[in-house]
Amino acid sequence: MCGIVGYVGPQDARDVVLEGLRRLEYRGYDSAGIAVLADGSLATAKKAGKLANLEKVLAETPLPSATTAIGHTRWATHGGPTDRNAHPHVSADGSVAVIHNGIIENFASLRAECEATGIEFLSETDTEVAAHLLAAAYREAPEGEGRLAEAMRAVCRRLEGAFTLVATHVAEPDTLVAARRSSPLVVGSGRTADGTAEYFLGSDVAAFIGHTRNALELGQDQVVEIDRTRGVSVTDFGGAAAEPVAYTVDWDAAAAEKGGYGWFMLKEIAEQPQAVADTLLGRLGAHGELVLDEVRLSDQELRDIDKIFVVACGTAYHAGLIAKYAIEHWTRIPVEVEVASEFRYRDPVLDRSTLVVVISQSGETMDTLMALRHARDQKARVLAICNANGSTIPRESDAVLYTHAGPEIAVASTKGFLTQVVACYLVGLFLAQVRGMKFEDEVASIVEDLRKLPDAVAQVLAEMEPVRELARSLADADTILFLGRHVGFPVALEGALKLKELAYIHAEGFAAGELKHGPIALIDQGTPVVVVVPSPRSRESVHGKVVSNIQEVRARGALTIVIAEEGDEDVVPYADHLIRVPRTPTLLAPVVTTVPLQVLACEIADTRGLDVDQPRNLAKSVTVE
Ligand code: M6R
C-alpha cells in the first residue's frame, strides 16, 4: 500500500522518481506527489487521482531539476484522496519533506502536541505530524554529519504503529533518510555509465530495477541514511550500527513492463505456464523425489508436526484452501485454513509441533505478517510461501519456499495464485516424503503429474477465445454465481473474487452442496452460474453430484457455464456454455480450472471499460491491518 520512491545521484532526480512511481503505481493510486530539493529549498507537486494527473500538472508547471527527490503514490487511510492529503508533506518551517506508508497510530496526540506549539496543519493525514516532528527534532539534533538520521531516530522512537518514512531536509541536499517499522523499504545502489554512485529507495525493487539490481534489505526498526558522498549507513532506532542484507534482484526491468499486452493482468495470465514451470524448477528430482533444500526445517522437525495452519488473505487464502485438500490427503496431518486478519484474534492453539504456512505473493501483507508474528510468539514453526524476494514475511519466517512467478504488477493476482497452489503441492508432497506417508513410486507418480502442469495451463490458454466471447455477453450481468465441490470450491471462491474486484459485479462462490441450503433462492431466469466440475475419475462420485447441481440450477432458469475436463460427456446436455480443460488429476485440477475464470473476469472488466490493472479502492500490497 502506497508506493515510495527516493533518489540521490547525478541523474535528474525528477525523472528517476517519476519513472519509479510509474512502476509502483500498482501499490496505491488515490493520489501522487513528488518533492525535489533544488537551490536550497523544497519544491513539491501533488495531485489527487492517478499518476497521470500529477504528470499533467508537472507538464504544465515543471519542478526545478534536482539530484535529490522523493515521490509517493497513495492508498488513503487517514484523510480522503485529495490534493491536500497527497504526499509529500512539508513541515511548517519548510525545511523537511516526508513521504509515508503505513499508519501512525498515536498521530492524534502528536498532532495536538504540534498544534499546541502554534503549527497549523494543512492536511487530515497522520503523516503530516512526522514532517513537523522531524523539523523540530532536526533543530535539537547535534550539528554535523548524520543530523537528519539522528532526528529521524528521535522521531521514530515516539511513533506507534507501522510505517516507512522517507525524508529530505533543505540543509542536507545530498542526503535522504528513511526508517521502517513493519512496512516495506528497500535500498538500491548503482552506478551510472560514467561510474558515479547513485542510490535509490523504494517500497519494492520495482521502483529501481530499471537502474540497478543491487539491493539492500533493511530489518525491523532501522534507519538508513543515504548520502551521495558517504554512501549508505544503517542503524537501529537507538543509533547502534546495523548491517543490512545485500542481495541481487533476479527480476529484470522488462519483466515489469507490459510487453505489448493491453493490461499487465493479460500478460501475467499468459506467463502462467512459465511461472508454474519456474516454481517447479530444481525441486523435482531425477528419480521422482522432491528436493526442497531451501526449507530450512530439519527432517525431525517436519516429522514432529502434528497440526498445520495455513494462513493468508484474499487470493492467497484460496490457495491455502486448496492446500488443505492436498496436504491432508497426502500426509494425513490435520490442516486448518484461516484468513490472517482473524487468526491471531481468536487465540488459536499453537505449539512447537504446529506448522504455520503463511502464503503471500508480496511478502508484505500486514495481516499475514501479524499472524506470522503471533505464531512465532507461540513457538510454532512458520514456513512462508512467497514471491517477493527480500520482503518481510520470508525474512521473519523459519523457512521459506519462494514461488518464481516474477513480478506481479496487476492488482488482481493470477500467476501469483497459480504458483502458490503449486508451492503448496510441493510442501504437501515433501512432508509426505519426509514422513514416509507415501511410497516412493506414489510420490514419483504425482511428481510426473506436476511436470505436466505447465503444458496443461498453456493448452487452456490456447483455447480461450470462446471464453472471451462469452465474457462480452456477460458484461451487463448483475450477479454471477460460482459453484464447486472439493478443490473446485476454492476455485469457485477465487473466480467470484476475481469478478468482484475487477468488474464490480456481485459474485459469490459456493460449495455446490450448500446451494440447496439457501443460496439457490438467488437463482432467477437467466442468472449466470459458473460450475467447476471435478474429473469423472474423482473420488466418491463428487462428479455425479456436481452434474446434479448443474441440473438443479438449470431447472430454475440459470444460464449454466460449465468448466469440465475433456471427454466428460455427462455435462454436455446441461451446459449452456462449455469450457474444456485438459484431463488433470483431481487434486491438481485447480491449476487448470482457475485459468478460464481469470480470463472471464479480465475480459468482462475490459468490456465494461474498467481499469483492469488498478481496480477502484484496491492496492496491490495491503500493508495496513
Ligand atoms: O501479497 P499477498 O499475496 O499477501 O496478498 C493477499 C491479498 O491481498 C491478494 O491476494 C488480493 O486478494 C488480490 N488482489 C486478489 O486478486
Side-chain angles (χ1 to χ4, degrees):
M1 236 154 226
C2 299
I4 277 183
V5 189
Y7 177 76
V8 190
Q11 300 192 56
D12 189 331
R14 297 171 304 180
D15 299 340
V16 178
V17 165
L18 264 183
E19 181 197 335
L21 289 181
R22 275 181 216 116
R23 292 187 189 275
L24 287 191
E25 197 182 13
Y26 69 100
R27 298 186 74 98
Y29 31 84
D30 289 341
S31 63
I34 175 168
V36 299
L37 227 171
D39 307 324
S41 64
L42 285 163
T44 61
K46 13 198 235 179
K47 197 71 198 154
K50 296 211 171 190
L51 186 60
N53 297 357
L54 174 70
E55 290 178 309
K56 212 164 140 211
V57 170
L58 290 171
E60 284 158 11
T61 321
L63 293 177
S65 89
T67 53
T68 303
I70 56 178
H72 189 264
T73 61
R74 179 167 186 249
W75 187 86
T77 58
H78 294 62
T82 61
D83 291 355
R84 279 156 65 98
N85 290 334
H87 301 210
H89 291 283
V90 176
S91 59
D93 65 2
S95 66
V96 173
V98 168
I99 51 177
H100 167 222
N101 174 21
I103 293 177
I104 299 171
E105 286 171 1
N106 57 337
F107 87 98
S109 61
L110 295 171
R111 180 173 172 138
E113 180 187 314
C114 293
E115 283 171 335
T117 67
I119 290 173
E120 208 177 303
F121 276 69
L122 301 177
S123 76
E124 296 125 41
T125 63
D126 51 338
T127 307
E128 195 182 336
V129 293
H132 301 308
L133 290 177
L134 208 45
Y138 191 86
R139 289 193 291 272
E140 301 287 312
E143 283 183 25
E145 280 178 8
R147 189 171 174 186
L148 183 56
E150 182 51 37
M152 180 65 95
R153 285 189 286 271
V155 170
C156 287
R157 289 194 291 267
R158 302 197 59 203
L159 302 182
E160 288 165 20
F163 50 83
T164 298
L165 287 166
V166 181
T168 177
H169 194 287
V170 288
E172 301 192 20
D174 291 330
T175 308
L176 283 179
V177 166
R180 76 170 289 248
R181 168 180 285 165
S182 299
S183 273
L185 180 67
V186 281
V187 179
S189 72
R191 293 200 175 269
T192 54
D194 67 1
T196 313
E198 58 179 354
Y199 301 97
F200 309 82
L201 285 165
S203 311
D204 66 54
V205 296
F208 52 75
I209 44 174
H211 300 274
T212 182
R213 290 187 182 194
N214 299 326
L216 295 175
E217 182 183 316
L218 299 178
Q220 265 313 315
D221 287 7
Q222 291 188 341
V223 168
V224 60
E225 181 199 64
I226 58 177
D227 181 275
R228 272 188 81 177
T229 38
R230 295 196 304 279
V232 178
S233 56
V234 181
T235 66
D236 64 18
F237 285 177
E243 209 43 59
V245 180
Y247 66 103
T248 306
V249 181
D250 56 7
W251 297 346
D252 63 16
E257 308 277 355
K258 277 193 201 152
Y261 288 86
W263 299 110
F264 275 110
M265 186 180 177
L266 284 175
K267 175 175 175 251
E268 289 160 9
I269 288 173
E271 286 170 345
Q272 292 185 113
Q274 192 59 49
V276 169
D278 289 346
T279 300
L280 294 172
L281 194 70
R283 290 163 171 170
L284 308 180
H287 308 291
E289 77 283 16
L290 270 289
V291 189
L292 293 191
D293 292 339
E294 67 259 62
V295 173
R296 304 178 298 249
L297 294 173
S298 68
D299 286 3
Q300 193 52 51
E301 283 172 314
L302 295 174
R303 281 188 206 106
D304 288 345
I305 292 164
D306 62 13
K307 182 169 53 176
I308 297 176
F309 282 97
V310 185
V311 182
C313 303
T315 283
Y317 167 71
H318 297 155
L321 290 175
I322 294 165
K324 176 181 169 75
Y325 290 87
I327 298 176
E328 282 189 341
H329 182 68
W330 289 332
T331 68
R332 309 313 297 153
I333 305 171
V335 180
E336 286 186 45
V337 191
E338 276 196 60
V339 285
S341 53
E342 290 297 319
F343 180 69
R344 72 180 168 135
Y345 296 109
R346 67 161 188 84
D347 197 14
V349 182
L350 305 164
D351 58 32
R352 268 182 194 289
S353 48
T354 311
L355 177 69
V356 175
V357 179
V358 291
I359 308 177
S360 175
Q361 187 284 130
S362 63
E364 300 291 354
T365 300
M366 185 59 75
D367 288 322
T368 310
L369 177 61
M370 290 303 170
L372 175 171
R373 287 182 180 162
H374 180 74
R376 291 203 71 192
D377 286 348
Q378 306 294 308
K379 310 284 180 250
R381 313 273 178 211
V382 178
L383 166 67
I385 291 177
C386 184
N387 192 41
N389 221 295
S391 57
T392 309
I393 286 173
R395 198 181 45 245
E396 294 199 14
S397 299
D398 297 295
V400 57
L401 187 64
Y402 281 106
T403 55
H404 294 302
E408 193 178 62
I409 308 291
V411 165
S413 185
T414 53
K415 60 178 181 170
F417 173 74
L418 244 53
T419 54
Q420 285 163 353
V421 173
V422 168
C424 289
Y425 295 146
L426 293 175
V427 169
L429 272 185
F430 188 61
L431 280 169
Q433 176 177 286
V434 170
R435 295 162 66 97
M437 295 304 295
K438 287 250 165 261
F439 293 113
E440 281 174 17
D441 59 338
E442 288 177 290
V443 175
S445 148
I446 304 167
V447 162
E448 264 324 291
D449 294 329
L450 287 173
R451 288 187 207 278
K452 292 178 192 151
L453 287 177
D455 285 345
V457 176
Q459 190 183 326
V460 177
L461 287 171
E463 289 157 22
M464 280 299 94
E465 193 41 44
V467 176
R468 283 189 273 272
E469 241 171 69
L470 168 66
R472 292 191 276 274
S473 73
L474 294 176
D476 293 327
D478 295 326
T479 189
I480 301 185
L481 305 182
F482 293 75
L483 306 182
R485 278 181 191 251
H486 194 258
V487 287
F489 171 38
V491 172
L493 294 176
E494 176 60 7
L497 176 62
K498 281 289 153 291
L499 194 69
K500 280 184 267 202
E501 71 174 331
L502 293 173
Y504 320 152
I505 290 177
H506 171 250
E508 296 281 335
F510 297 107
E514 272 294 291
L515 204 64
K516 57 190 177 295
H517 299 289
I520 200 162
L522 290 168
I523 292 169
D524 206 347
Q525 204 56 39
T527 305
V529 178
V530 179
V531 188
V532 183
V533 182
S535 163
R537 292 161 286 118
S538 59
R539 298 163 68 226
E540 293 168 18
S541 68
V542 181
H543 172 263
K545 296 210 170 82
V546 175
V547 176
S548 300
N549 297 138
I550 305 174
Q551 295 174 60
E552 286 157 15
V553 296
R554 202 159 188 262
R556 286 158 179 85
L559 175 87
T560 56
I561 299 154
V562 173
I563 300 178
E565 76 173 33
E566 285 160 352
D568 180 352
E569 295 307 314
D570 298 347
V571 295
V572 174
Y574 317 111
D576 295 312
H577 297 271
L578 184 53
I579 301 167
R580 289 294 191 188
V581 292
R583 282 181 69 155
T584 310
T586 302
L587 284 170
L588 309 190
V591 175
V592 293
T593 51
T594 307
V595 176
L597 303 185
Q598 299 168 338
V599 174
L600 190 73
C602 180
E603 199 67 30
I604 291 179
D606 188 60
T607 307
R608 287 164 72 94
L610 301 173
D611 187 331
V612 168
D613 287 337
Q614 296 178 350
R616 68 184 178 199
N617 304 335
L618 295 177
K620 180 67 180 164
S621 169
V622 184
T623 54
V624 294
E625 274 190 277

